[in-house]
Amino acid sequence: MRKAIKIENLTVFYREMLVLDRISVTVNAGRITGIIGPNGSGKSTFLKGILGITPVKQGQVSFFGNSFEKFRSKIAYVPQRESIDWDFPITVSEVVEMGRIIPKKWWVRTTSADKEIVKETLEKVQLSEFSTRQIGQLSGGQQQRVFLARALAQEAELIIMDEPFVGIDMVSQEAILTIVCKLRDAGKTIVIVHHDLSVVARYFDDVILLNKKLIASGAQEDVLKPENIEKAYGMTFLLDKQ
Amino acid sequence: MENDVLMVLTACSVAIPASLLGVLLVSKSLVMVGDAISHAVLPGIVVAYLLSGTRDSGPMLLGAAVTGFLTTFLIDFLKRKWQIQEDAAIGFTFTFLFATGVLLIALFAGKNSDLDQECVLYGDLETSILDQVVVGGYLYGTRAILQLLPLTIVLLLVIVFGFKGWKIWVFNPDFGSFIGIPVRLFHLTLMLLLSIHAVLSFESVGVILVVGLLVLPAATALQFSKTLSRTFYYSACIGIISCILGVLIGKWINISISPLIVCVNGLIFLVSVILSPFRRKTGQEQNAANPGFQEYKN
Amino acid sequence: MDLSIWIVLIGTALIGICAALVGTFTFLQKKSLIGDAISHSILPGIVLAYMLSGQRTAWGLMLGAFCAGWFATQQISWLQWKTRLKSDTIVAATLSMFFAFGLALLSYIQGRPDDGQAGLGDFLFGKIAALDIRDLYLFLGISTVIIIAIFLRYRVMFSFAFNREFMISKGFSLRWNDFILNSMTILVVTMGVQAVGVVLMSALLIIPVLSARMLTCRLSQILLFSVLLGTFSSLLGSYISILGANIPTGPCIIIILSACAIIIALTVKLQSKRKSHGK
C-alpha cells in the first residue's frame, strides 16, 4: 500500500508543555484514516503540526515521498467549527473560491474557469441553491459541506478534516460521510480527527489512537480493541459494534 | 522641596487608585472599556460645566457617573443586541462620545473659560498643585488629593471587603451568579469607580495618560505575581515608585511631569517583561530543527 | 471657490476613502483597536521628526510618524510573543507608553526658547485647513499605493481574516500578511491625523465599515458603502469646519459619521422589525 503521510518523531510543545511526544506513524493512501483520542490529547495539534500551522519542536513529515512544501498545493484542510466566525460577511461561493487562491499568484482574480469549478463542486455537495447565502445562514451540516466543497475545489489529493462531526445532526453526518466515502473510492486520501468512539468510527478504514503519545495505529479492527482504548481513555469503554 | 512632596503626593493620589482599578481591568480584559470610559466622561464633564457654570466637583461627578454608565451600557447594547464585535463597539462608543465632548468645548466653552481642548488631553500636574486647600493657616493638601483620597478609601474598602467576590468575578463569573453573587453589581461598581476616578484625575493627568496609569502598573505586577492579592499590592507599589521617579526626573530636566510618570511606568513595564522568566517558544528556534516547516513567504 | 478649499476637500476625500478601505480589513481581522493604538503611537515620531529637522514639513513628519507606528506594532507583537498578557492589555500599554513619550517630548520643545512648535498641537485634534499643495501630492501618492495594494490583495486579506489556519496551510505567510495590513494602517493614520487628529483617527477606520456591515454582508458592497460613507462625512465635516470659525475638524467629521451610523442602524432595525411583523 502507498504511504500518503510518513511522520517520524513528531514532537510539539505548547509554551513549556509537551503536547505530542515523539510520534512516528504512517497514513495509507486511498483510505479514510481516523485520528482518535480523548479531549486534550493533542489530535488537533497533531494536524496543525503536520500542516505547519503550529511550529513543531522536531520531527520529519513527508507526503507521498515529497517534502511538505512540494506537496502543499495538493493538501486541503477543513478547520474546526469553533475556529470560524459564522457572522463573517462571506458567501458560500466565496468560501469555495478560497480553495482556488494560489500563493505564488496571489494577485490573480477569480477566473471563469475557477467559477466553473466552484459551481461544479457546489453541485457535488448539493448546495448549488445556497451559493449566494451568507455562510452563517446555513445549518451546521451544510456549513461543513461548504468546507468540504472548498477542499474539493482545491483538487487536493489529501483532505484533512478537524472534528467535522461536532455539533451537527445525524442526517448531515451521514451526508458528509457519504461524500467522504465517494472521495475515498475516487482515490483520495482522507484524514479525519474525531474525539470519541461513536458510530462514526465504523467508517474509518484505519485508525490512529493518540493520547500525547501514539497508543496504536493500523486497521480499524486491530486498533479499536479494549486494551488500546483503555490506554488512550484511561478507562474501559463498551464498544458499540453493531 | 515642599512643592516636590506635594507633587509626589498628588501624583500618588491619582496613581494608587488607578493601579488598583487597573488590576481588576487587566485580569478581566476590560482595559479597552476602561480606556473608553476615561475618554467618554468628557461630554459629561463639559455638560455639567456648561449647566452649572462652575468647576465644582459635585455636578461633574454626576455628569461623569452618567456618561460612565452610558458608555458601559452602550458598549454592552451594541455587543449583545446588535451583534457588533467588541472592539468595534468600543471604538465607536468612545470616539463618538469624545468627539461630542470636544465639539461642545469648542462651540460653547469659549476661549475665556478654564476648560480647553488641550488640557483635557494632557492634564497639568504642575498647575493642579497650585490649587491648595489651606484652612486656618495650615496646608491640608491640594484639591486633587482631598478629592481622590475618599475615592481611594472607598476603593480599598470595596476591594478588601468584596475580595472573594472580586476573585469570583474575575475568574469564574458563571459560578458566581450560580451561587448567588451579584456579578453584574460588581461590574457596575467597578465602572462607576472608574468614571469617578477619570473625572477627578483628568485635571492632573488628562484622559489618555490615565489609561497608562491604569494598565501599566497592573501589567507589570502580573509579570511576577501569582495571586490576585499580591498583584494589587505590587501594582500599587509600582504606581508609587514611578510617581516618585517621575517627579525627580521632571525636576532634573524640564519636562512636564504627568507624561513623564507614564514613561517611567512604561520603562518599568518593559524591564519587567525583559527580566520575566517566562518565555514563549520562538517559532524560529522550532523551525530551525526542521527546515521543512519554515514559514513560506508568498 | 479658491484653490485652498479645493486642496482641503480633495485631501479629506482621499483620507476618507483610504481610511474606509483599510478600516474594512482591520475590522474583518478584528483588529479595529490596532488603529487606535497606532494613531496614538505616532505622536513621538511626529515630534521627534520636528525636533530633528527643525521645521514642519509634511514629508519629515510623515516619515517620523511611520517609523513610530512601525515601532509600536513591533512592540505589540513582541509583547504578545514574550508575555502572557491579553492583547487588549498589550495594546493599551503600548498606546499609553508611546503617547506619554510623545507628550513628554512635546512639553520639552515647548519649554525651549525658539517657540516654533506651533502647529504640532494640531495633530492632537486635527486641522485640515493647514493642508497645502505639497501635502496633497503626498496624499495622492500614499492613496495610490494603498488602493493598488488593496486592489491586488483584497482576496488574500479577506480570506486570511475569515480563516487564517486554512491560508497558512496553503502556504501564505501570516507574518507577511500582518505586515502589509499594519503598514497600510500606519500610512492611513499618518495621513488622517492631519485632518481628525490622534484621538479620533480610529473612528474614521471603524465607523464606516461598522455601518456598512449592518447594511449588507457582501464584501464588495461593504467596501463600496464604507467608502461612500467615509468620503461623504469627511467632506461634509471638513466643509462645516471651514465655514465655522471655531469648529475643530476631527470631532466635526466624527459626529457626522456617527450620526450617519446611528441613522443607518435605526433604519435597518426598524425594517427588520417590520419584516418580522409582516410574517
Side-chain angles (χ1 to χ4, degrees):
Chain A
M1 216 177 293
R2 282 183 76 200
K3 304 276 180 266
I5 315 176
K6 193 158 180 265
I7 299 152
E8 278 170 51
N9 268 326
L10 187 78
T11 305
V12 178
F13 279 86
Y14 178 68
R15 296 193 174 169
E16 263 121 52
M17 210 166 68
L18 180 65
V19 184
L20 290 173
D21 188 11
R22 285 164 297 159
I23 289 176
S24 301
V25 71
T26 53
V27 173
N28 292 319
R31 287 165 78 89
I32 301 175
T33 304
I35 299 176
I36 300 182
N39 285 328
S41 59
K43 299 168 307 249
S44 290
T45 315
F46 180 69
L47 283 194
K48 288 181 181 168
I50 301 177
L51 295 175
I53 298 170
T54 302
V56 299
K57 183 89 183 162
Q58 57 159 320
Q60 296 293 327
V61 183
S62 63
F63 296 86
F64 291 98
N66 295 309
S67 74
F68 176 59
E69 290 306 331
K70 269 194 187 151
F71 197 72
R72 181 170 237 162
S73 58
K74 300 206 177 79
I75 306 174
Y77 172 64
V78 179
Q80 232 167 345
R81 274 188 66 81
E82 301 99 80
S83 69
I84 302 290
D85 168 19
W86 297 108
D87 281 335
F88 198 87
I90 191 169
T91 61
V92 169
S93 57
E94 278 169 334
V95 175
V96 182
E97 272 171 31
M98 272 175 77
R100 304 300 305 166
I101 303 179
I102 308 161
K104 288 199 177 107
K105 293 184 186 162
W106 51 264
W107 60 89
V108 176
R109 295 253 165 302
T110 324
T111 61
S112 52
D114 288 340
K115 288 208 172 115
E116 201 55 42
I117 291 172
V118 170
K119 223 176 133 192
E120 278 168 25
T121 47
L122 277 176
E123 264 162 33
K124 269 186 208 159
V125 296
Q126 293 154 359
L127 286 173
S128 300
E129 70 263 43
F130 298 110
S131 64
T132 53
R133 287 268 192 100
Q134 195 255 333
I135 183 82
Q137 294 167 349
L138 269 57
S139 74
Q142 288 168 333
Q143 287 166 346
Q144 211 62 48
R145 262 145 68 199
V146 174
F147 283 98
L148 206 54
R150 182 174 74 180
L152 294 178
Q154 271 180 274
E155 293 169 339
E157 289 300 313
L158 174 63
I159 297 170
I160 296 183
M161 305 172 83
D162 197 350
E163 299 273 13
F165 304 114
V166 170
I168 63 173
D169 57 277
M170 289 301 280
V171 183
S172 321
Q173 186 172 306
E174 291 297 322
I176 292 167
L177 281 166
T178 320
I179 299 171
V180 167
C181 288
K182 261 190 209 158
L183 286 172
R184 187 245 341 248
D185 298 338
K188 314 271 187 204
T189 310
I190 291 129
V191 177
I192 297 175
V193 161
H194 195 60
H195 66 286
D196 63 18
L197 300 160
S198 62
V199 201
V200 181
R202 281 188 296 130
Y203 286 85
F204 300 150
D205 302 320
D206 295 335
V207 166
I208 296 172
L209 206 56
L210 272 187
N211 194 354
K212 303 216 162 142
K213 286 180 187 166
L214 180 69
I215 307 287
S217 70
Q220 186 232 121
E221 50 279 6
D222 299 334
V223 173
L224 294 184
K225 283 179 182 160
E227 63 265 28
N228 286 338
I229 288 160
E230 199 182 330
K231 257 198 235 164
Y233 285 80
M235 53 175 154
T236 326
F237 265 75
L238 285 176
L239 247 192
D240 174 30
K241 282 236 174 189
Q242 290 163 6
Chain B
M1 185 59 208
E2 191 187 87
N3 265 357
D4 291 356
V5 174
L6 260 186
M7 195 102 84
V8 171
L9 286 177
T10 313
C12 284
S13 68
V14 176
I16 294 172
S19 51
L20 296 177
L21 287 168
V23 173
L24 291 172
L25 291 180
V26 168
S27 32
K28 188 79 179 159
S29 15
L30 284 172
V31 176
M32 286 328 266
V33 180
D35 182 33
I37 285 184
S38 64
H39 281 81
V41 291
L42 185 65
I45 294 172
V46 180
V47 169
Y49 171 77
L50 290 175
L51 289 181
S52 70
T54 63
R55 274 183 93 166
D56 279 346
S57 39
M60 284 210 181
L61 283 184
L62 194 67
V66 171
T67 35
F69 272 123
L70 191 67
T71 317
T72 336
F73 170 75
L74 210 59
I75 292 174
D76 222 41
F77 178 78
L78 291 176
K79 218 168 65 183
R80 290 242 178 90
K81 287 278 155 64
W82 289 5
Q83 275 100 38
I84 291 171
Q85 57 199 44
E86 188 175 16
D87 56 345
I90 293 173
F92 171 74
T93 310
F94 89 83
T95 48
F96 171 57
L97 288 171
F98 189 74
T100 316
V102 175
L103 212 58
L104 283 175
I105 293 181
L107 288 181
F108 301 114
K111 281 220 159 105
N112 45 0
S113 72
D114 21 303
L115 262 185
D116 71 49
Q117 297 168 27
E118 245 115 280
C119 92
V120 168
L121 265 195
Y122 40 97
D124 201 349
L125 202 61
E126 285 86 343
T127 52
S128 87
I129 68 153
L130 298 179
D131 197 353
Q132 292 167 349
V133 179
V134 181
V135 180
Y138 289 100
L139 178 64
Y140 281 89
T142 63
R143 202 160 66 104
I145 298 179
L146 292 183
Q147 282 175 338
L148 279 156
L149 202 59
L151 174 72
T152 315
I153 293 170
V154 170
L155 181 61
L156 277 174
L157 289 178
V158 165
I159 289 175
V160 171
F161 283 104
F163 192 74
K164 276 199 178 135
W166 287 115
K167 224 170 175 172
I168 290 172
W169 174 78
V170 166
F171 296 110
N172 203 345
D174 291 340
F175 171 69
S177 47
F178 174 68
I179 60 170
I181 287 173
V183 183
R184 189 90 197 123
L185 186 70
F186 273 87
H187 190 83
L188 287 178
T189 312
L190 179 66
M191 294 302 146
L192 180 66
L193 289 171
L194 203 61
S195 336
I196 293 173
H197 178 263
V199 178
L200 294 180
S201 57
F202 96 102
E203 279 174 47
S204 12
V205 292
V207 238
I208 298 173
L209 294 178
V210 168
V211 185
L213 293 177
L214 285 171
V215 68
L216 289 169
T220 317
L222 276 177
Q223 292 301 306
F224 46 85
S225 70
K226 291 204 174 67
T227 62
L228 190 62
S229 52
R230 295 229 155 195
T231 316
F232 276 119
Y233 183 66
Y234 289 147
S235 175
C237 288
I238 293 160
I240 295 169
I241 291 171
S242 42
C243 286
I244 297 171
L245 284 178
V247 171
L248 285 181
I249 298 173
K251 279 280 129 188
W252 181 43
I253 36 176
N254 190 19
I255 291 181
S256 66
I257 307 280
S258 38
L260 211 53
I261 290 173
V262 179
C263 283
V264 171
N265 246 326
L267 273 182
I268 296 177
F269 170 62
L270 286 183
V271 169
S272 79
V273 170
I274 291 168
L275 293 182
S276 77
F278 168 75
R279 244 185 114 203
R280 201 175 275 190
K281 288 274 169 278
T282 73
Q284 270 139 4
E285 272 172 28
Q286 286 151 342
N287 283 335
N290 186 354
F293 286 101
Q294 252 166 24
E295 251 183 285
Y296 179 72
K297 281 226 164 97
N298 48 318
Chain C
M1 279 198 284
D2 62 9
L3 185 66
S4 62
I5 291 186
W6 278 112
I7 290 175
V8 166
L9 290 183
I10 294 172
T12 36
L14 287 176
I15 291 171
I17 292 169
C18 292
L21 283 175
V22 175
T24 304
F25 289 98
T26 51
F27 174 86
L28 291 178
Q29 290 258 24
K30 312 213 165 29
K31 280 187 176 166
S32 294
L33 292 173
I34 292 274
D36 192 36
I38 290 176
S39 59
H40 283 79
S41 311
I42 64 172
L43 186 65
I46 292 172
V47 183
L48 267 179
Y50 172 76
M51 282 166 79
L52 290 178
S53 67
Q55 54 197 349
R56 188 176 182 268
T57 55
W59 280 91
L61 296 188
M62 280 217 180
L63 192 67
F66 189 83
C67 293
W70 191 77
F71 268 117
T73 52
Q74 286 305 303
Q75 188 185 320
I76 289 174
S77 48
W78 176 68
L79 286 173
Q80 274 167 346
W81 162 72
K82 187 83 202 306
T83 68
R84 280 171 214 264
L85 295 171
K86 296 187 185 97
S87 68
D88 64 330
T89 309
I90 290 172
V91 168
T94 310
L95 173 161
S96 53
M97 278 161 64
F98 273 74
F99 192 73
F101 183 51
L103 282 186
L105 287 176
L106 201 61
S107 79
Y108 177 70
I109 58 171
Q110 272 166 348
R112 286 199 314 199
D114 55 327
D115 203 335
Q117 81 290 343
L120 281 184
D122 289 345
F123 277 96
L124 295 176
F125 289 102
K127 194 173 183 190
I128 195 70
L131 219 62
D132 65 18
I133 190 84
R134 278 170 305 166
D135 296 333
L136 191 64
Y137 288 142
L138 194 61
F139 277 23
L140 273 173
I142 292 179
S143 323
T144 320
V145 169
I146 287 175
I147 290 169
I148 288 176
I150 285 185
F151 180 73
L152 289 178
R153 215 180 151 79
Y154 81 91
R155 217 174 140 207
V156 174
M157 291 199 298
F158 179 55
S159 307
F160 246 110
F162 176 59
N163 190 346
R164 90 162 65 149
E165 270 109 356
F166 174 77
M167 295 303 276
I168 300 171
S169 83
K170 281 205 85 171
F172 286 93
S173 159
L174 176 66
R175 213 178 281 168
W176 184 236
N177 190 62
D178 279 352
F179 173 76
I180 290 179
L181 189 61
N182 281 340
S183 310
M184 287 200 299
T185 317
I186 296 170
L187 283 175
V188 168
V189 167
T190 48
M191 241 164 78
V193 283
Q194 316 204 12
V196 296
V198 163
V199 191
L200 294 173
M201 185 56 217
S202 52
L204 215 49
L205 290 167
I206 298 172
I207 301 177
V209 57
L210 192 70
S211 341
R213 179 66 186 86
M214 287 183 215
L215 286 172
T216 169
C217 58
R218 297 295 295 268
L219 176 71
S220 48
Q221 289 168 358
I222 289 180
L223 281 171
L224 183 72
F225 280 130
S226 60
V227 165
L228 283 180
L229 187 63
T231 323
F232 166 74
S233 11
S234 9
L235 279 177
L236 190 61
S238 56
Y239 192 68
I240 292 175
S241 91
I242 293 173
L243 288 184
N246 196 20
I247 305 173
T249 323
C252 196
I253 294 176
I254 304 310
I255 293 287
I256 290 167
L257 207 51
S258 313
C260 292
I262 292 167
I263 292 169
I264 288 173
L266 287 179
T267 339
V268 169
K269 287 292 144 179
L270 271 182
Q271 236 156 27
S272 68
K273 211 170 242 178
R274 204 174 293 156
K275 233 180 236 170
S276 63
H277 275 295
K279 277 174 194 171

